[in-house]
Amino acid sequence: MPDFQVELLARLEEDGIPVVGSIIEDSDVNGFHYVRVAVTRDSNNLQQPSNRRLNDFKATLAAEGRRVEFLLHDASGLDLEVGLRATLLYAFPNDLRNVFLSADGPKARVWVEPKHALNDEEVKRIEQKARDYLEVLGVQLHKLVATGDENLPSNFACLRVLRHVAPASFDELKVELAKSFTIPSEDWLKRRLDMLRRTGKVVWIAGGSYACSLDALRGLGSARGKNSPDVRRLLALARRGR
């Protein structure tokens, strides 16, 4: 290991920043290094080490004329999507709200949820950062897509499809939605369903299935009263414990 990498590793350890694997030198940019850092969440769900701490360390090195880029990994399992999300949100906090990934073998499609309309230069920077992160892990970036540019299911669409297939497992609902819409990743859909559950639009039925709540059914145009076919269906499911 080159002297600077040995020194850098020692300084990171001294500062309490956990490094995953080897420090990698960029073959195209002289003196530029990639450092994989294991991140966790504390009891308050705050990232450790924090982005401020990492930025301060980068600034110290930059003042010495040295350049490093941190690639953040989920220490609980080095999950590819979690690590990429942490890295891009860390690098572009003013531009991105969320990041999702769908992988097909050695290729991956990255979906970004922007906070504002991204210009071409911003897209190029985000795309390059995603490519750098994935290539370190042996994965090729196939395409980077802003979620607003794709045919994603709205809350109403999710509820409308669920109304027709309930009770449905997560996988069953995903298959039905995919017939008409683009699903960025399982995590994207899980977050959407969790939000609908927390707002009282979706209920979790014993046995691991989803269904629309009575409030959601009425909002979808269900007839009111106990004779409504949707209400009768939901009550029957409840009696069967489904």
Side-chain angles (χ1 to χ4, degrees):
M1 183 183 297
D3 291 343
F4 172 65
Q5 293 186 21
V6 173
E7 176 195 345
L8 178 58
L9 183 59
R11 291 174 65 175
L12 288 163
E13 291 178 348
E14 182 180 351
D15 206 55
I17 298 176
V19 177
V20 179
S22 302
I23 295 174
I24 301 172
E25 183 173 5
D26 193 316
S27 59
D28 297 324
V29 182
N30 186 39
F32 192 94
H33 292 78
Y34 294 102
V35 180
R36 290 181 287 172
V37 174
V39 296
T40 57
R41 295 279 171 176
D42 62 19
S43 58
N44 295 317
N45 199 35
L46 298 176
Q47 177 185 298
Q48 300 298 331
S50 68
N51 287 341
R52 172 175 288 185
R53 189 172 175 186
L54 296 173
N55 285 333
D56 288 345
F57 193 93
K58 276 182 63 175
T60 299
L61 290 177
E64 301 171 2
R66 295 167 168 176
R67 298 172 60 196
V68 300
E69 191 61 51
F70 291 120
L71 306 177
L72 310 188
H73 291 259
D74 171 31
S76 64
L78 300 183
D79 181 270
L80 189 64
E81 184 177 44
V82 172
L84 177 65
R85 178 180 299 123
T87 295
L88 293 185
L89 294 184
Y90 161 68
F92 306 100
N94 298 321
D95 302 314
L96 300 181
R97 181 171 288 109
N98 219 327
V99 177
F100 304 95
L101 179 145
S102 55
D104 182 12
K107 295 185 178 182
R109 176 174 293 196
V110 175
W111 309 75
V112 295
E113 182 181 347
K115 292 183 176 180
H116 58 85
L118 300 173
N119 59 44
D120 291 343
E121 187 58 35
E122 289 169 331
V123 171
K124 288 180 181 178
R125 290 200 301 268
I126 295 169
E127 189 175 61
Q128 187 59 54
K129 180 71 67 177
R131 181 176 288 107
D132 290 341
Y133 176 89
L134 294 171
E135 286 182 351
V136 168
L137 301 174
V139 178
Q140 178 184 349
L141 176 63
H142 174 62
K143 188 176 183 181
L144 184 139
V145 184
T147 55
D149 298 336
E150 290 290 322
N151 180 32
L152 306 183
S154 64
N155 290 342
F156 180 82
C158 288
L159 292 172
R160 180 168 49 81
V161 171
L162 180 57
R163 176 187 189 180
H164 291 293
V165 300
S169 67
F170 175 84
D171 288 337
E172 290 169 340
L173 179 58
K174 180 184 175 185
V175 168
E176 289 300 316
L177 285 169
K179 292 178 180 179
S180 304
F181 302 97
T182 300
I183 309 297
S185 73
E186 288 192 354
D187 187 61
W188 182 91
L189 183 55
K190 286 177 181 177
R191 288 169 180 252
R192 180 59 57 94
L193 290 173
D194 185 57
M195 182 272 292
L196 290 171
R197 182 186 58 78
R198 286 186 280 106
T199 55
K201 301 299 184 182
V202 166
V203 294
W204 177 255
I205 301 175
S209 297
Y210 293 95
C212 293
S213 68
L214 289 173
D215 181 58
L217 292 174
R218 294 189 179 104
L220 290 170
S222 174
R224 296 179 179 275
K226 64 180 181 180
N227 292 324
S228 161
D230 286 324
V231 173
R232 291 202 307 271
R233 177 183 174 90
L234 193 60
L235 292 174
L237 292 172
R239 285 194 295 271
R240 294 202 301 268
R242 296 182 64 183

